[in-house]
Amino acid sequence: MDKSLANRAAFSPAAFFDEQFGVTARDLDQVLGRAMARQADYADLFFEYRTHEQVRLEEGLVKHASVSTANGVGARVLAEDKTGYAFTDDVTIQNLDSAVRTANVIAHDRGTDSPARIPVPAAPRHDLYPVPRSFSEVPLERKIGLLEDLDRFARKADPRVKGVFASLSLENKVILIASSQGWVLGDLQPWAVATPRAPWTWSLGPGWPGILLHEAIGHGLEADFNRRKTSAFSGRIGERVATELCTVVDDGTIPRRRGSLNVDDEGTPTQRTVLIEDGILRGYMHDRLNASLLGMELTATAAARATPM
Protein backbone atom coordinates (compact mmCIF):
# COMPACT_ATOMS: atom_id res chain seq x y z
CA MET A 1 0.00 0.00 0.00
CA ASP A 2 1.11 3.53 -0.67
CA LYS A 3 2.87 5.11 2.31
CA SER A 4 0.46 8.04 2.23
CA LEU A 5 -2.22 5.73 3.64
CA ALA A 6 -0.19 4.94 6.73
CA ASN A 7 -1.03 7.98 8.89
CA ARG A 8 -4.83 8.11 9.07
CA ALA A 9 -4.92 11.28 11.18
CA ALA A 10 -3.07 13.28 8.51
CA PHE A 11 -4.65 11.51 5.54
CA SER A 12 -6.45 13.52 2.84
CA PRO A 13 -8.35 11.57 0.13
CA ALA A 14 -8.21 14.58 -2.23
CA ALA A 15 -4.43 14.88 -1.83
CA PHE A 16 -4.09 11.11 -2.22
CA PHE A 17 -5.80 11.01 -5.64
CA ASP A 18 -3.84 14.07 -6.71
CA GLU A 19 -0.58 12.36 -5.73
CA GLN A 20 -1.48 8.99 -7.27
CA PHE A 21 -3.16 10.11 -10.50
CA GLY A 22 -2.43 13.81 -10.93
CA VAL A 23 -6.09 14.80 -10.57
CA THR A 24 -6.18 18.30 -9.05
CA ALA A 25 -9.09 20.29 -7.64
CA ARG A 26 -9.02 22.45 -10.78
CA ASP A 27 -9.29 19.34 -12.96
CA LEU A 28 -12.33 18.19 -11.01
CA ASP A 29 -14.02 21.58 -11.43
CA GLN A 30 -13.37 21.61 -15.18
CA VAL A 31 -14.59 18.06 -15.78
CA LEU A 32 -17.73 18.62 -13.70
CA GLY A 33 -18.33 21.88 -15.56
CA ARG A 34 -18.35 19.96 -18.83
CA ALA A 35 -20.69 17.41 -17.27
CA MET A 36 -23.23 20.18 -16.59
CA ALA A 37 -23.00 21.69 -20.07
CA ARG A 38 -26.11 19.92 -21.42
CA GLN A 39 -28.86 21.11 -19.07
CA ALA A 40 -28.09 18.52 -16.40
CA ASP A 41 -29.44 18.96 -12.86
CA TYR A 42 -26.45 17.45 -11.09
CA ALA A 43 -23.23 15.56 -11.74
CA ASP A 44 -20.59 13.88 -9.62
CA LEU A 45 -17.39 11.87 -9.84
CA PHE A 46 -16.77 8.88 -7.60
CA PHE A 47 -13.15 7.75 -7.17
CA GLU A 48 -12.14 4.50 -5.48
CA TYR A 49 -8.73 3.02 -4.69
CA ARG A 50 -8.61 -0.37 -3.00
CA THR A 51 -5.64 -2.31 -1.60
CA HIS A 52 -5.89 -5.96 -0.61
CA GLU A 53 -3.22 -7.97 1.22
CA GLN A 54 -3.35 -11.71 1.89
CA VAL A 55 -1.03 -14.18 3.62
CA ARG A 56 -1.81 -17.93 3.75
CA LEU A 57 -0.16 -20.59 5.91
CA GLU A 58 -0.46 -24.29 5.04
CA GLU A 59 1.11 -27.07 7.09
CA GLY A 60 3.30 -24.59 8.94
CA LEU A 61 4.67 -22.99 5.77
CA VAL A 62 3.80 -19.72 4.04
CA LYS A 63 2.39 -20.89 0.70
CA HIS A 64 0.99 -17.57 -0.49
CA ALA A 65 1.57 -13.87 0.12
CA SER A 66 0.24 -11.11 -2.11
CA VAL A 67 -0.62 -7.43 -2.30
CA SER A 68 -2.94 -6.14 -5.01
CA THR A 69 -4.50 -2.80 -5.87
CA ALA A 70 -7.50 -1.78 -7.93
CA ASN A 71 -8.85 1.64 -8.76
CA GLY A 72 -11.50 3.36 -10.83
CA VAL A 73 -13.71 6.40 -11.21
CA GLY A 74 -17.36 6.68 -12.15
CA ALA A 75 -19.08 9.71 -13.67
CA ARG A 76 -22.78 10.27 -13.05
CA VAL A 77 -25.11 12.84 -14.59
CA LEU A 78 -28.69 13.39 -13.41
CA ALA A 79 -31.25 15.06 -15.68
CA GLU A 80 -34.73 15.09 -14.16
CA ASP A 81 -35.54 11.39 -13.63
CA LYS A 82 -32.79 10.13 -15.96
CA THR A 83 -29.38 8.93 -14.83
CA GLY A 84 -26.31 8.59 -17.03
CA TYR A 85 -23.36 6.63 -15.66
CA ALA A 86 -19.98 5.63 -17.08
CA PHE A 87 -16.69 4.53 -15.53
CA THR A 88 -13.04 3.82 -16.21
CA ASP A 89 -10.39 1.88 -14.31
CA ASP A 90 -7.61 3.97 -15.86
CA VAL A 91 -7.76 7.27 -14.00
CA THR A 92 -6.66 10.06 -16.33
CA ILE A 93 -8.17 13.44 -17.21
CA GLN A 94 -8.78 12.23 -20.77
CA ASN A 95 -10.69 9.18 -19.52
CA LEU A 96 -12.64 11.32 -17.06
CA ASP A 97 -13.77 13.52 -19.95
CA SER A 98 -14.75 10.44 -21.94
CA ALA A 99 -16.77 9.04 -19.04
CA VAL A 100 -18.54 12.38 -18.56
CA ARG A 101 -19.43 12.57 -22.26
CA THR A 102 -20.81 9.03 -22.17
CA ALA A 103 -22.86 9.72 -19.04
CA ASN A 104 -24.25 12.85 -20.72
CA VAL A 105 -25.32 10.89 -23.79
CA ILE A 106 -27.11 8.38 -21.59
CA ALA A 107 -28.90 11.02 -19.55
CA HIS A 108 -29.34 13.30 -22.67
CA ASP A 109 -31.15 16.63 -22.82
CA ARG A 110 -34.45 16.92 -20.98
CA GLY A 111 -35.84 20.09 -22.55
CA THR A 112 -36.33 23.37 -20.69
CA ASP A 113 -37.91 22.12 -17.47
CA SER A 114 -36.73 23.83 -14.29
CA PRO A 115 -33.90 21.97 -12.53
CA ALA A 116 -34.80 19.65 -9.67
CA ARG A 117 -33.54 20.65 -6.22
CA ILE A 118 -30.65 18.34 -5.34
CA PRO A 119 -30.01 18.13 -1.58
CA VAL A 120 -26.52 19.11 -0.44
CA PRO A 121 -24.90 16.82 2.16
CA ALA A 122 -23.66 18.19 5.45
CA ALA A 123 -20.07 17.74 6.54
CA PRO A 124 -19.29 14.24 7.92
CA ARG A 125 -20.57 14.05 11.48
CA HIS A 126 -18.64 11.08 12.75
CA ASP A 127 -15.61 8.81 12.42
CA LEU A 128 -17.03 5.32 12.95
CA TYR A 129 -13.89 3.26 12.37
CA PRO A 130 -10.84 5.02 13.81
CA VAL A 131 -7.75 2.94 13.09
CA PRO A 132 -4.52 4.08 14.80
CA ARG A 133 -2.36 2.91 11.91
CA SER A 134 -2.64 1.17 8.56
CA PHE A 135 -1.99 -2.55 8.18
CA SER A 136 0.74 -1.58 5.72
CA GLU A 137 2.79 -0.42 8.71
CA VAL A 138 2.67 -3.87 10.33
CA PRO A 139 5.74 -5.92 9.27
CA LEU A 140 5.09 -9.08 7.24
CA GLU A 141 6.99 -11.08 9.88
CA ARG A 142 4.40 -10.11 12.51
CA LYS A 143 1.53 -11.17 10.25
CA ILE A 144 3.19 -14.51 9.62
CA GLY A 145 3.82 -14.84 13.37
CA LEU A 146 0.08 -14.45 14.01
CA LEU A 147 -0.69 -17.28 11.58
CA GLU A 148 2.00 -19.46 13.19
CA ASP A 149 0.40 -18.82 16.60
CA LEU A 150 -2.94 -19.99 15.19
CA ASP A 151 -1.26 -23.08 13.76
CA ARG A 152 0.22 -24.01 17.15
CA PHE A 153 -3.04 -23.27 18.97
CA ALA A 154 -5.06 -25.51 16.63
CA ARG A 155 -2.61 -28.40 16.94
CA LYS A 156 -2.59 -28.20 20.74
CA ALA A 157 -6.38 -28.07 20.93
CA ASP A 158 -6.82 -31.70 19.89
CA PRO A 159 -4.29 -34.47 19.11
CA ARG A 160 -6.47 -35.52 16.17
CA VAL A 161 -5.61 -32.32 14.30
CA LYS A 162 -3.28 -33.30 11.48
CA GLY A 163 -3.44 -30.32 9.15
CA VAL A 164 -3.95 -26.59 9.68
CA PHE A 165 -4.73 -23.96 7.08
CA ALA A 166 -4.77 -20.33 8.23
CA SER A 167 -5.03 -17.12 6.26
CA LEU A 168 -4.99 -13.38 6.94
CA SER A 169 -6.85 -11.01 4.64
CA LEU A 170 -6.66 -7.20 4.95
CA GLU A 171 -8.21 -4.45 2.87
CA ASN A 172 -8.27 -0.65 2.75
CA LYS A 173 -10.49 1.45 0.50
CA VAL A 174 -10.14 5.16 -0.27
CA ILE A 175 -13.07 7.01 -1.81
CA LEU A 176 -13.49 10.56 -3.07
CA ILE A 177 -16.74 12.15 -4.26
CA ALA A 178 -16.67 15.50 -6.13
CA SER A 179 -19.94 17.15 -7.11
CA SER A 180 -21.11 19.83 -9.51
CA GLN A 181 -22.33 21.78 -6.46
CA GLY A 182 -18.74 22.44 -5.46
CA TRP A 183 -18.30 20.10 -2.51
CA VAL A 184 -15.69 17.34 -2.26
CA LEU A 185 -15.83 14.55 0.35
CA GLY A 186 -13.55 11.59 0.95
CA ASP A 187 -13.08 8.70 3.34
CA LEU A 188 -10.58 5.98 4.23
CA GLN A 189 -12.48 2.74 4.89
CA PRO A 190 -10.60 -0.21 6.42
CA TRP A 191 -12.12 -3.67 6.10
CA ALA A 192 -13.88 -4.52 9.42
CA VAL A 193 -13.57 -7.83 11.33
CA ALA A 194 -15.38 -10.62 9.48
CA THR A 195 -18.10 -12.79 11.05
CA PRO A 196 -16.77 -16.08 12.59
CA ARG A 197 -17.41 -19.17 10.46
CA ALA A 198 -18.76 -22.23 12.27
CA PRO A 199 -22.02 -24.09 12.95
CA TRP A 200 -24.06 -22.11 15.50
CA THR A 201 -27.46 -22.11 17.12
CA TRP A 202 -28.91 -18.68 16.42
CA SER A 203 -31.40 -16.42 18.11
CA LEU A 204 -31.97 -13.61 15.62
CA GLY A 205 -31.79 -10.07 16.96
CA PRO A 206 -30.41 -6.65 15.93
CA GLY A 207 -27.25 -6.59 13.81
CA TRP A 208 -26.18 -9.08 11.14
CA PRO A 209 -29.68 -10.61 10.70
CA GLY A 210 -30.51 -7.27 9.13
CA ILE A 211 -28.90 -8.65 5.95
CA LEU A 212 -31.54 -11.37 5.81
CA LEU A 213 -34.22 -8.76 6.42
CA HIS A 214 -32.81 -6.50 3.72
CA GLU A 215 -32.92 -9.26 1.12
CA ALA A 216 -36.47 -10.14 2.16
CA ILE A 217 -38.05 -6.65 2.23
CA GLY A 218 -35.25 -4.06 2.13
CA HIS A 219 -35.26 -3.52 -1.62
CA GLY A 220 -38.99 -2.89 -1.43
CA LEU A 221 -38.28 -0.06 1.00
CA GLU A 222 -35.97 1.75 -1.42
CA ALA A 223 -37.45 4.98 -2.75
CA ASP A 224 -37.00 4.29 -6.48
CA PHE A 225 -39.27 1.23 -6.41
CA ASN A 226 -41.88 3.17 -4.45
CA ARG A 227 -41.66 6.20 -6.73
CA ARG A 228 -42.40 3.89 -9.66
CA LYS A 229 -45.10 2.15 -7.59
CA THR A 230 -43.57 -1.29 -8.19
CA SER A 231 -43.09 -2.10 -4.48
CA ALA A 232 -45.53 -3.81 -2.15
CA PHE A 233 -44.98 -0.82 0.17
CA SER A 234 -45.89 1.88 -2.39
CA GLY A 235 -48.23 4.51 -0.99
CA ARG A 236 -48.53 2.75 2.36
CA ILE A 237 -46.66 5.10 4.72
CA GLY A 238 -48.60 5.22 7.99
CA GLU A 239 -50.21 1.81 7.40
CA ARG A 240 -49.57 -1.41 9.31
CA VAL A 241 -47.32 -3.69 7.26
CA ALA A 242 -46.08 -6.05 9.99
CA THR A 243 -46.79 -7.28 13.50
CA GLU A 244 -46.54 -4.72 16.31
CA LEU A 245 -43.46 -6.62 17.48
CA CYS A 246 -41.57 -5.56 14.34
CA THR A 247 -39.42 -2.42 14.17
CA VAL A 248 -36.95 -2.01 11.28
CA VAL A 249 -34.17 0.60 11.46
CA ASP A 250 -31.53 1.38 8.83
CA ASP A 251 -28.57 2.58 10.91
CA GLY A 252 -25.18 3.23 9.34
CA THR A 253 -23.73 5.02 12.37
CA ILE A 254 -22.81 2.18 14.75
CA PRO A 255 -19.05 2.51 15.45
CA ARG A 256 -16.71 -0.27 14.32
CA ARG A 257 -19.43 -2.34 12.67
CA ARG A 258 -19.33 -3.86 9.20
CA GLY A 259 -21.69 -1.82 7.06
CA SER A 260 -21.31 1.42 9.02
CA LEU A 261 -19.90 4.31 6.99
CA ASN A 262 -18.92 7.90 7.68
CA VAL A 263 -20.44 8.88 4.32
CA ASP A 264 -22.18 6.81 1.68
CA ASP A 265 -21.15 6.54 -1.98
CA GLU A 266 -22.97 9.80 -2.78
CA GLY A 267 -21.17 11.70 -0.03
CA THR A 268 -24.16 11.78 2.32
CA PRO A 269 -23.30 11.32 6.03
CA THR A 270 -24.90 8.15 7.37
CA GLN A 271 -27.74 8.36 9.87
CA ARG A 272 -30.39 6.38 11.73
CA THR A 273 -33.60 5.98 9.71
CA VAL A 274 -36.70 4.30 11.13
CA LEU A 275 -38.44 2.41 8.30
CA ILE A 276 -41.02 0.36 10.21
CA GLU A 277 -42.02 1.20 13.79
CA ASP A 278 -44.14 -1.23 15.83
CA GLY A 279 -45.38 -2.66 12.55
CA ILE A 280 -46.26 0.73 10.99
CA LEU A 281 -44.48 1.83 7.80
CA ARG A 282 -42.75 5.16 8.54
CA GLY A 283 -40.64 5.84 5.45
CA TYR A 284 -38.29 4.72 2.68
CA MET A 285 -34.55 4.82 1.98
CA HIS A 286 -33.79 7.76 -0.34
CA ASP A 287 -30.78 8.31 -2.57
CA ARG A 288 -30.00 11.72 -4.05
CA LEU A 289 -32.07 11.37 -7.25
CA ASN A 290 -35.23 10.00 -5.66
CA ALA A 291 -35.06 12.39 -2.70
CA SER A 292 -35.04 15.30 -5.15
CA LEU A 293 -37.89 13.92 -7.27
CA LEU A 294 -40.06 13.13 -4.24
CA GLY A 295 -39.14 16.24 -2.25
CA MET A 296 -37.84 14.12 0.62
CA GLU A 297 -34.66 14.20 2.73
CA LEU A 298 -31.65 12.05 1.92
CA THR A 299 -31.26 9.00 4.15
CA ALA A 300 -27.82 7.75 2.98
CA THR A 301 -27.23 4.23 1.75
CA ALA A 302 -24.09 2.28 0.84
CA ALA A 303 -26.01 0.93 -2.15
CA ALA A 304 -26.42 4.40 -3.65
CA ARG A 305 -23.96 3.56 -6.41
CA ALA A 306 -22.43 0.42 -7.82
CA THR A 307 -18.68 0.21 -7.32
CA PRO A 308 -16.82 1.62 -10.35
CA MET A 309 -14.43 -1.30 -10.69
Side-chain angles (χ1 to χ4, degrees):
M1 170 170 283
D2 189 272
K3 291 182 179 179
S4 62
L5 294 180
N7 187 352
R8 180 183 176 90
F11 180 75
S12 165
F16 173 81
F17 282 99
D18 185 359
E19 176 186 333
Q20 292 291 314
F21 304 105
V23 179
T24 66
R26 182 179 179 183
D27 294 326
L28 295 178
D29 287 341
Q30 291 176 342
V31 171
L32 288 166
R34 289 189 282 273
M36 296 293 291
R38 299 185 63 192
Q39 294 183 308
D41 294 328
Y42 172 86
D44 61 17
L45 301 171
F46 177 83
F47 295 82
E48 181 176 299
Y49 182 94
R50 185 177 297 182
T51 301
H52 182 263
E53 180 177 335
Q54 187 176 57
V55 184
R56 187 168 65 243
L57 193 77
E58 299 179 13
E59 300 302 323
L61 298 175
V62 176
K63 294 294 184 69
H64 175 84
S66 66
V67 177
S68 62
T69 62
N71 55 259
V73 57
R76 184 175 60 155
V77 176
L78 305 185
E80 206 172 53
D81 63 345
K82 303 177 183 68
T83 300
Y85 180 76
F87 73 93
T88 176
D89 57 7
D90 183 10
V91 184
T92 66
I93 301 303
Q94 180 179 359
N95 287 341
L96 279 176
D97 277 332
S98 178
V100 162
R101 287 195 300 270
T102 302
N104 257 319
V105 169
I106 296 171
H108 61 78
D109 291 341
R110 54 169 180 76
T112 57
D113 296 336
S114 60
R117 182 187 67 84
I118 305 296
V120 179
R125 295 187 291 261
H126 38 229
D127 185 6
L128 302 175
Y129 24 85
V131 177
R133 60 176 180 166
S134 169
F135 64 75
S136 61
E137 294 181 274
V138 180
L140 177 61
E141 292 77 11
R142 184 174 177 185
K143 297 167 185 173
I144 294 173
L146 174 62
L147 296 177
E148 291 173 339
D149 288 343
L150 293 174
D151 181 275
R152 287 189 290 269
F153 178 83
R155 293 179 188 279
K156 289 180 180 179
D158 194 307
R160 293 172 295 179
V161 174
K162 301 300 181 183
V164 178
F165 300 84
S167 64
L168 179 66
S169 184
L170 303 161
E171 184 175 280
N172 264 340
K173 182 170 71 172
V174 186
I175 66 168
L176 183 73
I177 308 109
S179 89
S180 57
Q181 295 174 331
W183 52 263
V184 178
L185 291 174
D187 198 18
L188 173 60
Q189 300 171 346
W191 195 11
V193 177
T195 302
R197 300 177 183 179
W200 300 88
T201 299
W202 292 99
S203 177
L204 299 182
W208 278 96
I211 295 176
L212 303 178
L213 184 69
H214 176 76
E215 296 305 323
I217 67 170
H219 291 292
L221 292 171
E222 294 169 358
D224 52 346
F225 294 111
N226 288 281
R227 177 173 61 84
R228 300 186 184 105
K229 302 188 184 304
T230 58
S231 168
F233 300 103
S234 298
R236 300 188 62 187
I237 291 180
E239 295 183 13
R240 179 170 297 282
V241 295
T243 171
E244 63 274 8
L245 300 177
C246 179
T247 294
V248 178
V249 178
D250 177 39
D251 192 348
T253 67
I254 305 174
R256 300 180 183 274
R257 290 296 183 93
R258 189 79 175 268
S260 289
L261 294 170
N262 293 322
V263 295
D264 74 359
D265 289 353
E266 291 188 318
T268 307
T270 50
Q271 60 202 60
R272 185 180 188 273
T273 304
V274 178
L275 301 171
I276 298 175
E277 183 178 30
D278 300 330
I280 305 299
L281 181 63
R282 297 300 185 192
Y284 308 127
M285 293 178 285
H286 293 274
D287 64 357
R288 187 171 301 280
L289 173 63
N290 288 285
S292 68
L293 293 173
L294 294 172
M296 306 292 287
E297 293 185 4
L298 292 171
T299 60
T301 169
R305 177 203 304 272
T307 180
M309 294 182 290

